[in-house]
Structures are given as C-alpha cells and as structure tokens.
Amino acid sequence: GAVVSQHPSWVICKSGTSVKIECRSLDFQATTMFWYRQFPKQSLMLMATSNEGSKATYEQGVEKDKFLINHASLTLSTLTVTSAHPEDSSFYICSATPGHTGELFFGEGSRLTVL
Amino acid sequence: AQSVTQLGSHVSVSEGALVLLRCNYSSSVPPYLFWYVQYPNQGLQLLLKYTTGATLVKGINGFEAEFKKSETSFHLTKPSAHMSDAAEYFCAVSDLRYSSASKIIFGSGTRLSIRP
C-alpha cells in the first residue's frame, strides 16, 4: 500500500520556540493531506485540510497563526507549531489520499513535548 | 453531515474469544466506512474498508465487518482474539467517493484488551 512518512517522530522543545513537522507521501502524489491532533486516550481531531498550492482549510477552533500549514508540493506538507507552549504538547498525525480510492494513509505520528 | 458512534470505550475479552466492536454511523450520502487500528505511539493502520459491493468485508489480521444499511451499523468482529490484537480501534466514515478533499470523521475509539 501507499506510504506516508512523518518526521520527526519525537520532538522536545522549549516554550516559546517553533517546531516544524513534515509529512511526506513516499510513493504517490497527494493533492490533499490532513493534519490531526490526538490527546492521550482520545480520538483524532481534525485540525486542518492541506491543499497543494493553496491555503489550508482549518477546522473551527484551530488557530491558524499558531498552527501554520504549508503544502508546497504534491508529496510534502508541513505543520509548524509557532511559539509553542506546554498545552500544545500532543500527538500530531498526518494523512494523505491518492485521490478517489476511498482510503487515507496515515503517517506514524509525531509526539511533541513542550517544556 | 456525517458522524460515527462507537459503543463502549473499552472492551475486554479472553484470548480465543469472539471480538465484537460496535460502530454506528450517520451519513446523508452513501458512506465509505473504515476500521483503523492504532498501537501505542503509532499512527493508524487500516484494518478494512467498505466502499461499495459486498457488505461483508474482510480485512487484515482475521478481522471482518458487515455493513448493514438498515441498522446504520458497521460492527467489527474477529472469531478468536489474540494477545496481539490489544490496541485502540477507530471506526470512521467519509464521503470520499465524492471528493478527495473530503474529511474522514472518526469515532471516539474503543480500547481492546485481551485477557490471557
């Protein structure tokens, strides 16, 4: 099946710094990628839909200036957590779809810890 | 609008026993339905999906699910549980057949524990 890779898997940063997480589709082109946030023992919450070559569509309640999403190519989307604070600590997961296949492929997730 | 309800946040079964994880959905259009499994600190892995055609869908690791339109259900089953099945399971619904930009809506998840 199609492979989606996230990097880094783990990141620890100091409060006030910015962190970038990459999501790559390794063997297919993805015009659309999705970013989720998952709190411990909870489901995935969709943060935003990332569209190649255009602005991301954010879900209600998600701060656009806090969570910057860039989808610069058909195989790469990035999520930048700006001026991170401890409450931003979470597990962030991306997914991508090759198109009308009825399936999303998920990255391995990135665990962010803000000290 | 679409939604998913998973009944039971935690299910515990004995090794070798039947696994049944319940999922009901709501969708205004014919849905795509999915079951995903998540192991600790990992992303999601697709177990199986229903798009069209046969309503009984077989997936990986011996799991299967049946799409019942009349009951708006898509319950996940496995005849005999294995210790390695212990994980978090998510049911999901989407209208991806209409747009690749459509969202997948996840249920709240069911944690499956296996007793020796």
Side-chain angles (χ1 to χ4, degrees), chain A residues 58-75:
Chain A
Y58 290 82
E59 295 299 299
Q60 189 173 10
V62 177
E63 299 177 60
K64 301 178 182 181
D65 296 332
K66 160 69 76 175
F67 299 101
L68 300 180
I69 292 173
N70 185 286
H71 195 153
S73 76
L74 287 172
T75 59

PDB file of all heavy atoms in Angstrom, chain A residues 58-75:
ATOM      1  N   TYR A  58      -8.848  25.328   7.835  1.00  0.00           N
ATOM      2  CA  TYR A  58      -8.765  24.985   9.249  1.00  0.00           C
ATOM      3  C   TYR A  58     -10.145  24.678   9.824  1.00  0.00           C
ATOM      4  O   TYR A  58     -11.154  25.281   9.437  1.00  0.00           O
ATOM      5  CB  TYR A  58      -8.131  26.136  10.038  1.00  0.00           C
ATOM      6  CG  TYR A  58      -6.661  26.322   9.748  1.00  0.00           C
ATOM      7  CD1 TYR A  58      -6.223  27.031   8.625  1.00  0.00           C
ATOM      8  CD2 TYR A  58      -5.699  25.783  10.603  1.00  0.00           C
ATOM      9  CE1 TYR A  58      -4.880  27.184   8.361  1.00  0.00           C
ATOM     10  CE2 TYR A  58      -4.347  25.934  10.348  1.00  0.00           C
ATOM     11  CZ  TYR A  58      -3.935  26.642   9.222  1.00  0.00           C
ATOM     12  OH  TYR A  58      -2.603  26.789   8.958  1.00  0.00           O
ATOM     13  N   GLU A  59     -10.161  23.749  10.755  1.00  0.00           N
ATOM     14  CA  GLU A  59     -11.395  23.438  11.461  1.00  0.00           C
ATOM     15  C   GLU A  59     -11.682  24.526  12.483  1.00  0.00           C
ATOM     16  O   GLU A  59     -10.779  25.249  12.943  1.00  0.00           O
ATOM     17  CB  GLU A  59     -11.280  22.082  12.151  1.00  0.00           C
ATOM     18  CG  GLU A  59     -11.143  20.922  11.176  1.00  0.00           C
ATOM     19  CD  GLU A  59     -12.328  20.794  10.254  1.00  0.00           C
ATOM     20  OE1 GLU A  59     -13.449  20.581  10.751  1.00  0.00           O
ATOM     21  OE2 GLU A  59     -12.127  20.909   9.027  1.00  0.00           O
ATOM     22  N   GLN A  60     -12.930  24.590  12.836  1.00  0.00           N
ATOM     23  CA  GLN A  60     -13.340  25.600  13.804  1.00  0.00           C
ATOM     24  C   GLN A  60     -12.597  25.407  15.115  1.00  0.00           C
ATOM     25  O   GLN A  60     -12.486  24.282  15.618  1.00  0.00           O
ATOM     26  CB  GLN A  60     -14.852  25.500  14.036  1.00  0.00           C
ATOM     27  CG  GLN A  60     -15.425  26.635  14.855  1.00  0.00           C
ATOM     28  CD  GLN A  60     -16.948  26.584  14.920  1.00  0.00           C
ATOM     29  OE1 GLN A  60     -17.554  25.598  14.514  1.00  0.00           O
ATOM     30  NE2 GLN A  60     -17.563  27.636  15.420  1.00  0.00           N
ATOM     31  N   GLY A  61     -12.090  26.487  15.645  1.00  0.00           N
ATOM     32  CA  GLY A  61     -11.387  26.435  16.921  1.00  0.00           C
ATOM     33  C   GLY A  61      -9.890  26.226  16.807  1.00  0.00           C
ATOM     34  O   GLY A  61      -9.196  26.300  17.823  1.00  0.00           O
ATOM     35  N   VAL A  62      -9.396  25.976  15.628  1.00  0.00           N
ATOM     36  CA  VAL A  62      -7.958  25.782  15.437  1.00  0.00           C
ATOM     37  C   VAL A  62      -7.332  27.107  15.030  1.00  0.00           C
ATOM     38  O   VAL A  62      -7.787  27.747  14.075  1.00  0.00           O
ATOM     39  CB  VAL A  62      -7.684  24.718  14.355  1.00  0.00           C
ATOM     40  CG1 VAL A  62      -6.179  24.581  14.120  1.00  0.00           C
ATOM     41  CG2 VAL A  62      -8.285  23.393  14.755  1.00  0.00           C
ATOM     42  N   GLU A  63      -6.310  27.538  15.771  1.00  0.00           N
ATOM     43  CA  GLU A  63      -5.680  28.833  15.498  1.00  0.00           C
ATOM     44  C   GLU A  63      -4.773  28.764  14.273  1.00  0.00           C
ATOM     45  O   GLU A  63      -3.753  28.081  14.281  1.00  0.00           O
ATOM     46  CB  GLU A  63      -4.859  29.254  16.713  1.00  0.00           C
ATOM     47  CG  GLU A  63      -5.657  29.433  17.985  1.00  0.00           C
ATOM     48  CD  GLU A  63      -4.749  29.785  19.145  1.00  0.00           C
ATOM     49  OE1 GLU A  63      -4.067  30.823  19.070  1.00  0.00           O
ATOM     50  OE2 GLU A  63      -4.697  28.998  20.116  1.00  0.00           O
ATOM     51  N   LYS A  64      -5.126  29.502  13.262  1.00  0.00           N
ATOM     52  CA  LYS A  64      -4.350  29.496  12.027  1.00  0.00           C
ATOM     53  C   LYS A  64      -2.938  30.025  12.231  1.00  0.00           C
ATOM     54  O   LYS A  64      -1.982  29.566  11.597  1.00  0.00           O
ATOM     55  CB  LYS A  64      -5.044  30.345  10.956  1.00  0.00           C
ATOM     56  CG  LYS A  64      -6.441  29.895  10.617  1.00  0.00           C
ATOM     57  CD  LYS A  64      -7.078  30.812   9.587  1.00  0.00           C
ATOM     58  CE  LYS A  64      -8.499  30.372   9.296  1.00  0.00           C
ATOM     59  NZ  LYS A  64      -9.150  31.234   8.280  1.00  0.00           N
ATOM     60  N   ASP A  65      -2.803  31.023  13.083  1.00  0.00           N
ATOM     61  CA  ASP A  65      -1.488  31.623  13.293  1.00  0.00           C
ATOM     62  C   ASP A  65      -0.615  30.778  14.212  1.00  0.00           C
ATOM     63  O   ASP A  65       0.604  30.951  14.237  1.00  0.00           O
ATOM     64  CB  ASP A  65      -1.641  33.025  13.880  1.00  0.00           C
ATOM     65  CG  ASP A  65      -2.341  33.969  12.924  1.00  0.00           C
ATOM     66  OD1 ASP A  65      -2.231  33.750  11.696  1.00  0.00           O
ATOM     67  OD2 ASP A  65      -3.010  34.907  13.396  1.00  0.00           O
ATOM     68  N   LYS A  66      -1.228  29.898  14.960  1.00  0.00           N
ATOM     69  CA  LYS A  66      -0.495  29.007  15.851  1.00  0.00           C
ATOM     70  C   LYS A  66       0.009  27.784  15.076  1.00  0.00           C
ATOM     71  O   LYS A  66       1.120  27.330  15.249  1.00  0.00           O
ATOM     72  CB  LYS A  66      -1.389  28.596  17.005  1.00  0.00           C
ATOM     73  CG  LYS A  66      -0.988  27.341  17.776  1.00  0.00           C
ATOM     74  CD  LYS A  66       0.267  27.521  18.591  1.00  0.00           C
ATOM     75  CE  LYS A  66       0.000  28.303  19.813  1.00  0.00           C
ATOM     76  NZ  LYS A  66       1.215  28.371  20.652  1.00  0.00           N
ATOM     77  N   PHE A  67      -0.858  27.263  14.251  1.00  0.00           N
ATOM     78  CA  PHE A  67      -0.536  26.046  13.512  1.00  0.00           C
ATOM     79  C   PHE A  67      -0.472  26.378  12.016  1.00  0.00           C
ATOM     80  O   PHE A  67      -1.487  26.397  11.328  1.00  0.00           O
ATOM     81  CB  PHE A  67      -1.586  24.967  13.782  1.00  0.00           C
ATOM     82  CG  PHE A  67      -1.690  24.569  15.225  1.00  0.00           C
ATOM     83  CD1 PHE A  67      -2.719  25.072  16.023  1.00  0.00           C
ATOM     84  CD2 PHE A  67      -0.757  23.721  15.800  1.00  0.00           C
ATOM     85  CE1 PHE A  67      -2.819  24.714  17.351  1.00  0.00           C
ATOM     86  CE2 PHE A  67      -0.851  23.357  17.131  1.00  0.00           C
ATOM     87  CZ  PHE A  67      -1.876  23.854  17.912  1.00  0.00           C
ATOM     88  N   LEU A  68       0.737  26.643  11.548  1.00  0.00           N
ATOM     89  CA  LEU A  68       0.941  27.025  10.158  1.00  0.00           C
ATOM     90  C   LEU A  68       1.119  25.782   9.291  1.00  0.00           C
ATOM     91  O   LEU A  68       1.957  24.939   9.580  1.00  0.00           O
ATOM     92  CB  LEU A  68       2.177  27.919  10.033  1.00  0.00           C
ATOM     93  CG  LEU A  68       2.131  29.235  10.816  1.00  0.00           C
ATOM     94  CD1 LEU A  68       3.423  30.012  10.609  1.00  0.00           C
ATOM     95  CD2 LEU A  68       0.936  30.067  10.413  1.00  0.00           C
ATOM     96  N   ILE A  69       0.329  25.702   8.251  1.00  0.00           N
ATOM     97  CA  ILE A  69       0.397  24.544   7.365  1.00  0.00           C
ATOM     98  C   ILE A  69       0.789  25.000   5.968  1.00  0.00           C
ATOM     99  O   ILE A  69       0.217  25.937   5.421  1.00  0.00           O
ATOM    100  CB  ILE A  69      -0.950  23.801   7.336  1.00  0.00           C
ATOM    101  CG1 ILE A  69      -1.197  23.147   8.698  1.00  0.00           C
ATOM    102  CG2 ILE A  69      -0.975  22.751   6.226  1.00  0.00           C
ATOM    103  CD1 ILE A  69      -2.563  22.528   8.848  1.00  0.00           C
ATOM    104  N   ASN A  70       1.776  24.286   5.404  1.00  0.00           N
ATOM    105  CA  ASN A  70       2.245  24.575   4.059  1.00  0.00           C
ATOM    106  C   ASN A  70       2.273  23.291   3.254  1.00  0.00           C
ATOM    107  O   ASN A  70       2.810  22.282   3.699  1.00  0.00           O
ATOM    108  CB  ASN A  70       3.653  25.181   4.123  1.00  0.00           C
ATOM    109  CG  ASN A  70       4.142  25.603   2.750  1.00  0.00           C
ATOM    110  OD1 ASN A  70       4.492  24.772   1.925  1.00  0.00           O
ATOM    111  ND2 ASN A  70       4.139  26.881   2.499  1.00  0.00           N
ATOM    112  N   HIS A  71       1.661  23.335   2.082  1.00  0.00           N
ATOM    113  CA  HIS A  71       1.619  22.151   1.211  1.00  0.00           C
ATOM    114  C   HIS A  71       2.256  22.550  -0.108  1.00  0.00           C
ATOM    115  O   HIS A  71       1.579  22.817  -1.091  1.00  0.00           O
ATOM    116  CB  HIS A  71       0.151  21.725   1.024  1.00  0.00           C
ATOM    117  CG  HIS A  71      -0.025  20.362   0.474  1.00  0.00           C
ATOM    118  ND1 HIS A  71      -1.158  19.620   0.727  1.00  0.00           N
ATOM    119  CD2 HIS A  71       0.748  19.590  -0.304  1.00  0.00           C
ATOM    120  CE1 HIS A  71      -1.066  18.455   0.108  1.00  0.00           C
ATOM    121  NE2 HIS A  71       0.085  18.410  -0.525  1.00  0.00           N
ATOM    122  N   ALA A  72       3.587  22.595  -0.083  1.00  0.00           N
ATOM    123  CA  ALA A  72       4.333  23.191  -1.185  1.00  0.00           C
ATOM    124  C   ALA A  72       4.443  22.297  -2.412  1.00  0.00           C
ATOM    125  O   ALA A  72       4.674  22.774  -3.519  1.00  0.00           O
ATOM    126  CB  ALA A  72       5.732  23.576  -0.709  1.00  0.00           C
ATOM    127  N   SER A  73       4.285  20.989  -2.201  1.00  0.00           N
ATOM    128  CA  SER A  73       4.397  20.079  -3.340  1.00  0.00           C
ATOM    129  C   SER A  73       3.389  18.960  -3.171  1.00  0.00           C
ATOM    130  O   SER A  73       2.719  18.852  -2.143  1.00  0.00           O
ATOM    131  CB  SER A  73       5.808  19.503  -3.430  1.00  0.00           C
ATOM    132  OG  SER A  73       6.003  18.496  -2.442  1.00  0.00           O
ATOM    133  N   LEU A  74       3.290  18.123  -4.171  1.00  0.00           N
ATOM    134  CA  LEU A  74       2.310  17.037  -4.141  1.00  0.00           C
ATOM    135  C   LEU A  74       2.724  15.897  -3.214  1.00  0.00           C
ATOM    136  O   LEU A  74       1.976  14.942  -3.051  1.00  0.00           O
ATOM    137  CB  LEU A  74       2.092  16.498  -5.552  1.00  0.00           C
ATOM    138  CG  LEU A  74       1.286  17.413  -6.476  1.00  0.00           C
ATOM    139  CD1 LEU A  74       1.312  16.874  -7.903  1.00  0.00           C
ATOM    140  CD2 LEU A  74      -0.150  17.544  -5.991  1.00  0.00           C
ATOM    141  N   THR A  75       3.914  16.002  -2.633  1.00  0.00           N
ATOM    142  CA  THR A  75       4.362  14.932  -1.745  1.00  0.00           C
ATOM    143  C   THR A  75       4.761  15.428  -0.361  1.00  0.00           C
ATOM    144  O   THR A  75       5.214  14.647   0.464  1.00  0.00           O
ATOM    145  CB  THR A  75       5.571  14.189  -2.354  1.00  0.00           C
ATOM    146  OG1 THR A  75       6.628  15.114  -2.570  1.00  0.00           O
ATOM    147  CG2 THR A  75       5.187  13.510  -3.668  1.00  0.00           C
TER     148      THR A  75
END
